[in-house]
Amino acid sequence: MINTKLGSNSTLSAIRRQTGAGSLLPFMKMYLRHRTTLPWSRMHEEIATDYNQIGSDNPLRLVMAAPDGYGKTTMTTFALVLWALAYKHCRCIAIGSHTRTAAGELLRSVDHELRTNQMLRTDFPHLAALQRGSGSSGSRASPPRDIYVRGVARLTTFGPTSSLGEITFEGSPPDLIILDGFEANPEENENPNGGKSAKLKRHIHREILSRYTGASVIVLGTLTHANSLIDRLLKPNQSSMWTQRFYQAVDSYPANFDLWFAWAKHLRVDRTQAQHYFDTHREQLLDGVEVLWPKHEPFEQMMSLRALHGWEWFDRNRQGAPLGGSWRTCSPNGAVIQPRSGGTEKPYILDHAGYRRDWSHHSAGVNPKVVLRIEDDSPPQGRTVPISQIAEDAGTAF
């Protein structure tokens, strides 16, 4: 094992640099151990392979959706930027968010790391030659808008209304463009035919992809609302323009999910009872379960969230599965909204756990919701929900 502690030995420094040069994940383990305390998930390994294109003659065009808290920003807008600077893969890096101030907040963590990570500064002396521009309010205390690594690269920020044409470094246009949280309020844009998200998508295609053909462009966020920017970029008809990465917290549900309803009933009464039930039925409860990042969020922890917040919240915030969203075409088992027989009844959803759900609406007739209830005509591939759970869940705004 390589000793990663700071030292003046030039041989040790060279070994560390060589170890981190090949790919982003070794670099993170070597230089950013304080931000990488857990084992990698499948998502991190796949994205790291994608990021190997950065700085090559084959620019990356990537759109990625994953649940909040799963390391998208840490790996991309933080670690990838530092890796690209350390090994001089990029000359002009532009970070965009829903406002330039928000983008500055993303840049703030990079700025802090460049100034405080002594191992980085020792092994890559050029990173010590920093010039930090003033923040959005003109004060150094506010989020930075620009960071210059003298003679090496420029990091800058922009928002949806900014002009990338004004961003250069020693005559070079941006060669890495990261859009992190580029859409401010995706819940306002669920109109399938238009809205701000459709304009943002056109802006990205016309003002970024078409003009900066040599730049790598990465768009990341959560798929929590249908027809949001991320949802539009993940649609199958966009696959020729983008490498599409879509991740759900749960890859595979247990064979007998009914047991989790019984567990949730105990949970609502007494957590000690729920823990005893889990310990007693652990093997059956977890039979067939596969989650994206078990060391970060095990299945039982996610089921606590489901029991607390309901299915609709869980589908949006852990499964990237809003009603009408692209998850149905991206999901491993091809779950889809299916119309009922007869033609006059409302459609239903067969979810990843195998349960049939009715698609109904709030009394205002605006916001869709999903409720779980027993149906006599449930298809063979769908399991009905236990009556005890129906009494608790039916009619609530899940």
Side-chain angles (χ1 to χ4, degrees):
M1 178 178 292
I2 298 173
N3 182 0
T4 59
K5 293 183 179 180
L6 178 63
S8 58
N9 187 291
S10 60
T11 301
L12 178 58
S13 180
I15 293 173
R16 290 195 298 249
R17 288 196 302 270
Q18 183 178 3
T19 300
S23 185
L24 179 59
L25 297 186
F27 172 81
M28 292 177 70
K29 281 297 185 184
M30 187 65 59
Y31 294 100
L32 306 172
R33 293 179 65 86
H34 53 292
R35 299 289 291 268
T36 58
T37 58
L38 297 176
W40 307 119
S41 72
R42 170 177 59 88
M43 179 189 82
H44 303 119
E45 294 171 350
E46 291 175 353
I47 294 170
T49 300
D50 293 330
Y51 288 170
N52 287 339
Q53 290 180 234
I54 302 298
S56 72
D57 295 331
N58 183 25
L60 174 67
R61 304 292 171 85
L62 173 71
V63 56
M64 171 179 50
D68 281 336
Y70 275 62
K72 301 183 301 298
T73 292
T74 296
M75 191 168 180
T76 306
T77 318
F78 176 69
L80 175 62
V81 169
L82 291 168
W83 183 67
L85 291 176
Y87 294 98
K88 303 181 181 180
H89 290 315
C90 300
R91 296 266 293 163
C92 188
I93 301 173
I95 297 174
S97 194
H98 56 277
T99 65
R100 195 173 182 188
T101 298
E105 290 291 353
L106 296 170
L107 190 57
R108 189 199 293 271
S109 61
V110 176
D111 178 48
H112 176 78
E113 199 69 25
L114 287 172
R115 293 181 177 278
T116 61
N117 190 316
Q118 293 302 314
M119 185 184 296
L120 269 179
R121 294 166 68 90
T122 296
D123 290 358
F124 304 95
H126 64 274
L127 294 182
L130 297 179
Q131 178 183 347
R132 182 187 188 275
S134 62
S136 56
S137 66
S139 166
R140 289 181 60 87
S142 58
R145 284 188 165 180
D146 292 280
I147 297 175
Y148 294 87
V149 182
R150 286 197 291 272
V152 176
R154 175 189 180 187
L155 284 75
T156 192
T157 57
F158 69 100
T161 61
S162 304
S163 173
L164 278 175
E166 300 174 359
I167 297 175
T168 61
F169 177 68
E170 297 181 350
S172 299
D175 48 7
L176 174 58
I177 301 171
I178 300 172
L179 308 181
D180 190 345
F182 204 55
E183 184 174 24
N185 299 300
E187 68 277 3
E188 298 176 356
N189 301 315
E190 293 197 339
N191 178 0
N193 299 317
K196 294 180 181 178
S197 59
K199 294 179 181 179
L200 282 177
K201 177 188 167 185
R202 289 194 295 270
H203 175 74
I204 291 172
H205 284 176
R206 295 174 183 176
E207 302 299 322
I208 298 179
L209 296 187
S210 297
R211 294 190 178 187
Y212 299 94
T213 56
S216 289
V217 181
I218 302 170
V219 185
L220 60 150
T222 57
L223 204 175
T224 54
H225 294 83
N227 301 306
S228 62
L229 174 63
I230 291 291
D231 189 34
R232 292 174 186 273
L233 296 178
L234 280 173
K235 292 186 183 299
N237 62 4
Q238 301 295 306
S239 60
S240 62
M241 303 187 68
W242 298 92
T243 296
Q244 297 174 321
R245 295 291 190 186
F246 173 70
Y247 297 98
Q248 299 175 305
V250 180
D251 289 326
S252 176
Y253 283 88
N256 187 0
F257 193 85
D258 291 358
L259 294 174
W260 283 102
F261 286 125
W263 172 86
K265 190 173 182 179
H266 287 296
L267 185 69
R268 293 185 178 100
V269 176
D270 184 356
R271 285 188 173 272
T272 302
Q273 289 183 23
Q275 184 61 49
H276 177 72
Y277 185 90
F278 178 80
D279 293 338
T280 303
H281 301 280
R282 176 187 296 268
E283 185 174 345
Q284 291 172 289
L285 284 164
L286 299 179
D287 179 29
V289 167
E290 292 183 14
V291 300
L292 178 59
W293 199 4
K295 293 296 184 180
H296 168 67
E297 197 168 40
F299 188 73
E300 54 269 31
Q301 182 176 330
M302 286 190 270
M303 288 301 95
S304 295
L305 293 172
R306 187 214 66 81
L308 176 64
H309 298 295
W311 280 107
E312 195 273 343
W313 181 94
F314 188 81
D315 280 352
R316 285 181 184 269
N317 293 280
R318 286 299 180 268
Q319 294 300 89
L323 288 171
S326 291
W327 71 287
R328 291 175 183 85
T329 57
C330 296
S331 62
N333 64 5
V336 295
I337 295 180
Q338 304 177 20
R340 294 184 184 180
S341 60
T344 59
E345 296 186 73
K346 297 174 182 177
Y348 67 84
I349 296 172
L350 186 66
D351 72 6
H352 286 195
Y355 287 96
R356 175 172 171 165
R357 309 193 202 172
D358 292 314
W359 184 5
S360 61
H361 295 78
H362 294 293
S363 57
V366 178
N367 297 318
K369 68 174 182 176
V370 172
V371 295
L372 297 176
R373 69 184 191 185
I374 289 179
E375 293 291 336
D376 294 334
D377 61 344
S378 290
Q381 70 269 30
R383 298 191 298 277
T384 56
V385 181
I387 293 177
S388 60
Q389 185 71 16
I390 297 305
E392 296 170 3
D393 290 349
T396 59
F398 279 6

